[in-house]
Amino acid sequence: MSDTAEKVKKIVVEHLGVEEAKVTAEASFIDDLGADSLDTVELVMAFEEAFGVEIPDDAAEKITTVKDAIDYIEAQKAA
Amino acid sequence: MFGSLTTPRRVVVTGMGIACPLGVGVAHVWQRMLAGESGIGPISLFDATDLPARIAGEVPSGSRAEGKLDFNEWIPVKDQKKMDRFIQLALVAAAEAVEDSGWVAESEDDKNATGVMIGSGIGGLPTISENSQLVAQGKSRRLSPFFIPSALINLASGHVSIRYGFKGPNHAVVTACATGVHALGDAARLIALGDADVMVAGGAEAAICDIGMAGFCAARALSTGFNDRPTEASRPWDKDRDGFVMGEGAGVMVLEEYEHAKKRGAKIYGEVIGYGMSGDAYHITAPAEGHDGAYRAMKAALKNAGVTPDQIQYVNAHGTSTPMGDDLELEAVEKLFGEAGKGLAMSSTKSAIGHLLGAAGAVEGIFSILAIRDGVAPPTLNLHAPSRESVIDRVALQPQQRSIEVALSNSFGFGGTNASILFRKAP
């Protein structure tokens, strides 16, 4: 697993208070990890802070799973 | 509007919960209060070095087992960031009160008949302060999405309703330092008038933060002369008093319609028999001459209850330890009670815990109920030399064993808002 993936998972575990095993790549923040819409806003802010990237609202709306987040961040870092 | 109602229903107290500077848990707090202990100390919640008032009554940190506060025992960690400290304190006191009452709203009808009315004087001040600093630093985009719901006053009631599934009236009082009494009184009215059978009611406050303390310092309302002797700072009616001491915490009661409580075999602590309100129409912070507003609020409560002054044995005073307010309240109580004042005990429990602003009336209501239950008037600490003599016994320094059938509790707030509530021994 990449460093980014590790870090994303850690942030998700901390912010949503879920068990690490549940945070699979396919897991949806809202459907599988018990987040509400405000939780997801906060998660995206935490990603921005941790990775030093900016995630505009229209992109943030499309980040609904753990994998979406990892992919977006890695693409930003590669760019 | 009230056409279907012929007689108001009776309202009793079936559960109580407290988090205050003397600790967490009604039994623990009451025992410490009767032992004459003080919850006032140096401020630890933030760096108060630059302020003229550097002491306050903070809820002590530690485990529930030792009567102290560890939010992790009460609220999931991930939820704590969604609520300001005052909401967390409300949840702690509400949890104790609901548990104590034994009331579980299972059916949809029960849920609909159970409401929440927990107010606050100021609400999420620490949260507002932190977030406004981010904005000032040009970091507006870093504001938490939970900032607004964390700071809103009615979210204390909201969170309690969500936790327990109480779907009845959901309301929040905001009347500065009169909030607690207004919440208990208004909630009792909702039950009396049939809007709910059970109300979880009270107040919560957590304003011991930079702008909270600085703001009250600016208003010259706080004690500043006892920073080196914190436990002596809150001294209602004493000649050396120099302002109130900030406190924090929450008090919550479960109020219930009498027949409803009887039917389920609930333990009944006492009855809410009267409630009175008034406005000063005078000044934003100072009480009117002779504390006329206090007099009228108390008089209205007595009228509402149908009792006369000689039937009341204990008054839990607003008594904040400010130079002006204490003696004016005393004057109003003397005027109301007249000859009956000779048999009266009146104390200010703020002498032990400071002024909990919007939570004050709620925790003092609980102390009034306990005074009736145990036949004891809690003491006014630090009252060594009153600035004004009176026939009314102000329970200086030591608690007093007394037979108490009816107790009156007062709370007055900035803006010139006054509220009094009357409790009677359990029917």
Side-chain angles (χ1 to χ4, degrees), chain B residues 83-391:
Chain B
M83 40 181 104
D84 184 88
R85 188 173 170 88
F86 85 100
I87 297 176
Q88 299 187 33
L89 290 167
L91 274 171
V92 171
E96 186 192 1
V98 171
E99 199 177 292
D100 183 40
S101 75
W103 173 239
V104 183
E106 268 163 8
S107 72
E108 204 57 22
D109 282 349
D110 285 347
K111 288 177 182 171
N112 292 337
T114 307
V116 188
M117 181 157 354
I118 299 174
S120 180
I122 312 188
L125 205 55
T127 301
I128 292 169
S129 172
E130 285 158 22
N131 284 277
S132 58
Q133 283 169 39
L134 286 177
V135 173
Q137 292 160 9
K139 296 177 182 168
S140 302
R141 286 200 68 236
R142 300 248 59 89
L143 253 59
S144 161
F146 301 113
F147 163 45
I148 297 294
S150 174
L152 289 178
I153 284 178
N154 71 299
L155 265 279
S157 292
H159 276 288
V160 169
S161 73
I162 292 164
R163 171 172 283 196
Y164 297 100
F166 298 152
K167 296 181 174 176
N170 200 272
H171 209 323
V173 173
V174 181
T175 49
C177 305
T179 297
V181 168
H182 275 134
L184 296 178
D186 288 356
R189 289 259 159 102
L190 291 187
I191 296 171
L193 296 178
D195 296 277
D197 292 332
V198 181
M199 289 293 296
V200 178
E205 201 75 67
I208 306 175
C209 64
D210 48 9
I211 61 170
M213 288 298 293
F216 279 102
C217 280
R220 303 292 186 273
L222 297 173
S223 166
T224 55
F226 295 87
N227 287 315
D228 53 343
R229 292 174 289 157
T231 61
E232 295 172 35
S234 187
R235 43 197 315 123
W237 299 298
D238 187 83
K239 66 176 177 48
D240 294 330
R241 68 184 185 276
D242 70 340
F244 81 80
V245 177
M246 182 81 92
E248 63 161 6
V252 173
M253 282 189 188
V254 174
L255 301 175
E256 191 165 348
E257 193 270 320
Y258 178 46
E259 297 299 332
H260 188 275
K262 255 200 334 193
K263 202 167 143 195
R264 69 179 185 91
K267 145 182 95 281
I268 295 174
Y269 285 105
E271 182 173 3
V272 182
I273 57 167
Y275 171 45
M277 296 163 276
S278 73
D280 285 351
Y282 176 70
H283 186 267
I284 53 170
T285 59
E289 204 173 314
H291 222 321
D292 173 61
Y295 173 79
R296 288 181 290 109
M298 290 188 281
K299 202 173 172 189
L302 267 66
K303 185 185 171 205
N304 183 226
V307 301
T308 48
D310 58 297
Q311 292 174 284
I312 299 166
Q313 294 80 30
Y314 174 66
V315 175
N316 188 297
H318 185 56
T320 57
S321 189
T322 54
M324 202 178 182
D326 292 8
D327 283 346
L328 286 175
E329 181 182 12
L330 177 62
E331 200 182 319
V333 174
E334 284 172 341
K335 182 179 167 192
L336 181 75
F337 280 75
E339 275 295 302
K342 285 177 184 162
L344 188 68
M346 171 162 81
S347 62
S348 170
T349 44
K350 288 187 179 79
S351 59
I353 60 173
H355 188 0
L356 274 59
L357 312 182
V363 304
E364 290 159 15
I366 292 173
F367 296 147
S368 302
I369 289 278
L370 294 169
I372 293 172
R373 184 192 71 180
D374 295 348
V376 58
T380 304
L381 304 185
N382 304 311
L383 176 52
H384 297 285
S387 56
R388 188 175 172 285
E389 292 303 325
S390 174
V391 296

Side-chain angles (χ1 to χ4, degrees), chain A residues 1 28 46 75:
Chain A
M1 196 186 295
S28 152

